[in-house]
Amino acid sequence: MTPVDPWPAEPMQYVGPMRLLVVEDEPKMALMLQRGLKEEGHEVDVCSSGQAALQQGADVPYDCVLLDWGLPDLDGVAVLREWRSRGVMTPVLLLTARGSTGEKVTGLRAGADDYLVKPFHFEELLARLEALARRGAGEKASSIVGDVTLEVRRRVLRRGDVEVSLTGREWALFSELVGQAGDAVSRTRLLLKVWGNDFDGTGNVVDVYVGYLRTKLERLGTKRVSVEAVRGVGYRLAIARSD
Ligand code: CA
């Protein structure tokens, strides 16, 4: 039986509930953020140390992370650098008491998507979060993986004159593999990220969709981009060097 693809033909503008991670060591601040964001309908986890955040942010596919700069162990910028070096590309809003231009530049260079100086108004935080979520959901025009161009708005893969369009699920699956470029992504993570609550328990749905993706990559004729099975884990996106 072919799994039904219930996603709409057009990429969604994500404005609904988000899964968020708040990394903040001051209990009052953490509680305020958690309460406020939950009231807005978001799902919120909290980490109070850099080490805990490092693991949590790499394990769980959050829509966005609120990351405090000043943490007791690893500081927020160190956490951010480590995530980015591991290919964790979750949008990050850096929260900090430091407002100097030099520090802002350091934060943004480390891979922060936005930056907010404490104290801030909760409304401003919300507005920035929503902007980040929208950006993450498809306002980036295109990106290049190996010899394949991803046209984000149109959900199309292109190589030279050849184009193939992906369904919503295929796009979400491919994006997740691209986001972890080169690293194996577990079936569990793929199910969670691509199917979430719609997952009905048929365990081979990931394999079926990887099959669809491979067919489309073949149609593009790419010799450099492929989806490889990683035994006992899941899949990884392999990108061969051009020679
Ligand atoms: Ca702090």
Side-chain angles (χ1 to χ4, degrees):
M1 207 179 73
T2 311
V4 179
D5 192 317
W7 282 32
E10 291 300 312
M12 294 197 301
Q13 284 297 302
Y14 192 87
V15 286
M18 289 182 267
R19 191 161 189 204
L20 304 171
L21 177 63
V22 170
V23 185
E24 170 63 76
D25 59 312
E26 291 155 48
K28 267 191 186 165
M29 184 68 164
L31 194 64
M32 186 278 278
L33 289 172
Q34 190 179 30
R35 280 197 185 141
L37 293 167
K38 277 189 173 170
E39 275 170 21
E40 294 295 318
H42 303 301
E43 200 181 317
V44 187
D45 294 331
V46 176
C47 285
S48 57
S49 76
Q51 284 296 350
L54 202 55
Q55 198 57 41
Q56 182 83 1
D59 287 349
V60 181
Y62 289 103
D63 294 304
C64 198
V65 179
L66 299 176
L67 179 61
D68 186 28
W69 184 314
L71 295 168
D73 48 353
L74 275 179
D75 72 34
V77 168
V79 172
L80 183 54
R81 282 206 183 96
E82 183 61 26
W83 277 339
R84 295 305 188 236
S85 78
R86 292 189 196 176
V88 176
M89 301 314 285
T90 311
V92 169
L93 175 55
L94 198 60
L95 305 178
T96 177
R98 314 165 201 218
S100 82
T101 306
E103 277 154 349
K104 185 169 179 175
V105 169
T106 304
L108 294 172
R109 283 221 174 109
D113 299 87
D114 202 356
Y115 186 101
L116 195 56
V117 178
K118 293 176 179 177
F120 50 79
H121 290 290
F122 188 69
E123 291 302 317
E124 183 178 5
L125 175 96
L126 269 185
R128 284 175 185 249
L129 264 184
E130 282 163 16
L132 279 185
R134 278 196 300 273
R135 213 187 293 166
E139 293 195 344
K140 203 170 65 163
S142 70
S143 51
I144 295 172
V145 174
D147 55 353
V148 175
T149 302
L150 286 73
E151 302 270 1
V152 178
R153 272 180 231 272
R154 296 167 56 220
R155 225 152 55 196
V156 158
L157 301 184
R158 187 162 48 77
R159 181 174 169 273
D161 297 335
V162 188
E163 281 190 357
V164 293
S165 42
L166 303 190
T167 66
R169 296 283 192 209
E170 290 166 356
W171 185 267
L173 178 61
F174 193 64
S175 303
E176 190 55 26
L177 292 166
V178 168
Q180 302 298 312
D183 285 343
V185 188
S186 71
R187 274 195 179 70
T188 311
R189 184 183 166 108
L190 292 171
L191 280 171
L192 196 64
K193 191 69 188 179
V194 180
W195 283 271
N197 294 332
D198 297 336
F199 174 54
D200 64 358
T202 42
N204 70 342
V205 69
V206 173
D207 310 277
V208 170
Y209 271 81
V210 165
Y212 296 161
L213 269 183
R214 284 174 169 161
T215 305
K216 292 192 171 176
L217 288 171
E218 267 169 39
R219 227 185 286 162
L220 279 181
T222 173
K223 299 272 186 292
R224 294 182 53 200
V225 181
S226 59
V227 181
E228 287 181 351
V230 180
R231 239 173 91 184
V233 183
Y235 292 96
R236 68 183 279 267
L237 189 76
I239 306 164
R241 282 179 217 283
S242 59
D243 40 25

